[in-house]
Amino acid sequence: MGTGASASKSLEAAALAASTEDLKALSAISPEAKVKLLAGLAGKPVLHYFDVSGRGELTKLIAAVGGVELEIVEYPFKANGASAADKLKAGKMESEHTKAATEMGMDGCGLPILVHGDLKINQSMAVQNYLASIGPNYPKVTPQQVAVDDMFQGFLEDCMGLAAGVILSGGDATLVPVVMEKVLTHLAKYVPKDGFVHGKGTPSTADLVILVLTQALIPFGATLGDGAATCYGKFPEAVALGERAAAFPAVAKWLTNDLCNLKKPPKAARK
């Protein structure tokens, strides 16, 4: 049944060896805490992604905030298009990451791929939301707040798809600032003058999305080019929120990690 089944067996074994007091304590913990305990028994999640920011960086930021220790496997950046249509038109591509995906039983699946115990998933939002759900330090959010976070993620995917299309498929770069401004105009309604989107002491996914939208080199800085300052200059509160998220201790620490690619080009292009 996946990670939950394997972890449950481990938990049952531990329970058999536990004292009455231990069992009482275990039964008293919340369902949320049990999910995180079971996830912990599955070992470190392993994130497979390219050696570039793209869709993988939000995942890493969420893990950093939540206190989830990730093992990260990087692959040289290689793609045959941005959209499903582009990729089908270009034909099947052989690369390090496609071979690895096949070996993991995820043939045809794009990155990111997350492996955690018996669990194997891909698709950016699924990976991001899973790591948020198991992070012991991730802020406790209501269903309404989760919905807002999901909305921010959806807008990030919209911007990501368009900007990636410019880099990978020769799309129109003049559309990037148009869409970025449209997205930030809407998201600005949720951006506070101080603190984080949900009013908590810890950033959630929504805040981290703003960090990526306003600071990521690939694909946003690279496609906005010299127009980046003009575009972001129209949204000072969003830029300030991204800076606050970046200054949060767990995020600030992650930003110094060698595996953080937020402001880096693909490894092959680095000097």
Side-chain angles (χ1 to χ4, degrees), residues 87-88 92-93 97-111 113 122-123:
K87 292 172 184 177
L88 285 171
K92 190 169 182 179
M93 179 181 67
H97 80 271
T98 60
K99 290 174 186 174
T102 299
E103 288 169 5
M104 287 185 275
M106 302 287 281
D107 186 45
C109 294
L111 303 184
I113 291 174
N122 77 315
Q123 294 293 347

Side-chain angles (χ1 to χ4, degrees), residues 12 110 145 167 169 264:
E12 286 166 11
Q145 290 168 337
I167 295 171
S169 305
K264 299 174 186 173

Side-chain angles (χ1 to χ4, degrees), residues 186-211:
H186 178 64
L187 295 184
K189 300 168 190 173
Y190 301 84
V191 171
K193 291 185 178 179
D194 298 295
F196 300 119
V197 168
H198 298 315
K200 299 179 182 295
T202 302
S204 73
T205 296
D207 307 288
L208 300 174
V209 164
I210 294 295
L211 169 56

Side-chain angles (χ1 to χ4, degrees), residues 71-163:
E71 182 178 334
I72 297 171
V73 180
E74 285 192 339
Y75 300 88
F77 180 66
K78 189 175 180 183
N80 58 352
S83 70
D86 291 337
K87 292 172 184 177
L88 285 171
K89 201 178 294 183
K92 190 169 182 179
M93 179 181 67
E94 285 270 324
S95 67
E96 284 187 34
H97 80 271
T98 60
K99 290 174 186 174
T102 299
E103 288 169 5
M104 287 185 275
M106 302 287 281
D107 186 45
C109 294
L111 303 184
I113 291 174
L114 186 81
V115 179
H116 193 199
D118 293 336
L119 176 70
K120 293 178 186 176
I121 55 173
N122 77 315
Q123 294 293 347
S124 306
M125 290 177 66
V127 171
Q128 292 155 10
N129 291 342
Y130 175 71
L131 291 176
S133 75
I134 66 170
N137 302 331
Y138 190 82
K140 188 173 182 180
V141 285
T142 66
Q144 291 83 0
Q145 290 168 337
V146 169
V148 170
D149 285 340
D150 289 348
M151 178 183 69
F152 273 66
Q153 286 170 283
F155 278 118
L156 175 62
E157 286 294 316
D158 290 345
C159 292
M160 192 74 67
L162 175 70

Side-chain angles (χ1 to χ4, degrees), residues 8 20-21 25 27 35 40 46 65 67 75 95-96 105 114 124 126 129 136 142 183 193 211 250 253 255:
S8 292
T20 304
E21 290 74 17
S27 65
V35 167
V46 181
V65 166
Y75 300 88
S95 67
E96 284 187 34
L114 186 81
S124 306
N129 291 342
T142 66
V183 166
K193 291 185 178 179
L211 169 56
K253 182 179 179 182
L255 294 177

